[in-house]
Amino acid sequence: MSTPPSHLTPSRLAKRSTQDHEVICSILDEALFCTVSYSVDNRPFSIPTAFVRYEDKIYIHGSVGSHFIREIEKGIPVCISVMLTDALVVAKSAFSHSVNYRSVIIFSNAEKVEDLNTKRAAFEWLTNKIVPGSWDYLRPMKDSEVKKTTALAFSFDEACAKTRSGMPKDEEEDLGLPIWSGLIPIQTNYLAPVADELSQQIPLPKHLV
């Protein structure tokens, strides 16, 4: 197995990292949001946004007038990060506290999606990821709306996942202390939908039940 390039190798606890495609895809499919980081004129920018994976690319969208979108659609280098938090790791000392997480870092360049059918498909994939089953229920997206929105695709050939799981790893001299240690699990759940004033009398659609 070839050694991954240095920018895909964590400087600390590299054994927790992997370039396994299935692991990377599983994290990307569960996460709803990513952060896109880039540099313009030696000034750093970092923008959180929704995204979706389809096959071997991830897609984001934004207004054609967005400064963020207009900069990265030029194909400048970007770093995309995703993190899922599974638990807070509470040790017997603050120094040994940690987090159980699953993360992905991607180095890529934007590919602007020009074809209207592909753009529309990307918006459908993203919409159904954020609110599953909603695309076919909604008023169809107009061609003018598709044209007013930019879709960008990114390959994730250069990607690395890093994870932590398990209980705290306390210092040996702390193991006998009468201090509670363990995990505080964290979950992200969809709660019951709340209708706006115009929807009070409209039945909740099946995909939201």
Side-chain angles (χ1 to χ4, degrees), residues 7-97:
H7 63 284
L8 294 179
T9 304
S11 60
R12 186 172 182 274
L13 298 174
K15 64 183 180 180
R16 293 182 181 172
S17 68
T18 179
Q19 291 181 273
D20 183 272
H21 185 73
E22 291 188 4
V23 173
I24 291 170
C25 286
S26 69
I27 296 171
L28 295 177
D29 290 347
E30 185 173 341
L32 297 178
F33 306 100
C34 67
T35 299
V36 182
S37 301
Y38 60 102
S39 176
V40 176
D41 297 330
N42 291 320
R43 182 182 295 273
F45 294 87
S46 193
I47 308 295
T49 186
F51 80 99
V52 64
R53 179 190 74 88
Y54 185 79
E55 296 182 343
D56 289 335
K57 292 184 179 180
I58 65 172
Y59 294 82
I60 68 171
H61 78 295
S63 167
V64 296
S66 163
H67 175 270
F68 158 57
I69 293 294
R70 291 170 66 179
E71 286 294 340
I72 66 173
E73 73 179 15
K74 299 173 184 176
I76 63 175
V78 301
C79 179
I80 301 172
S81 59
V82 170
M83 179 176 173
L84 299 169
T85 305
D86 297 317
L88 301 178
V89 181
V90 181
K92 295 181 183 297
S93 72
F95 179 80
S96 296
H97 277 22

Side-chain angles (χ1 to χ4, degrees), residues 120 134-146:
R120 188 181 293 275
S134 63
W135 180 264
D136 290 335
Y137 172 80
L138 301 171
R139 185 264 289 164
M141 196 171 185
K142 301 174 184 177
D143 286 346
S144 61
E145 294 171 329
V146 176

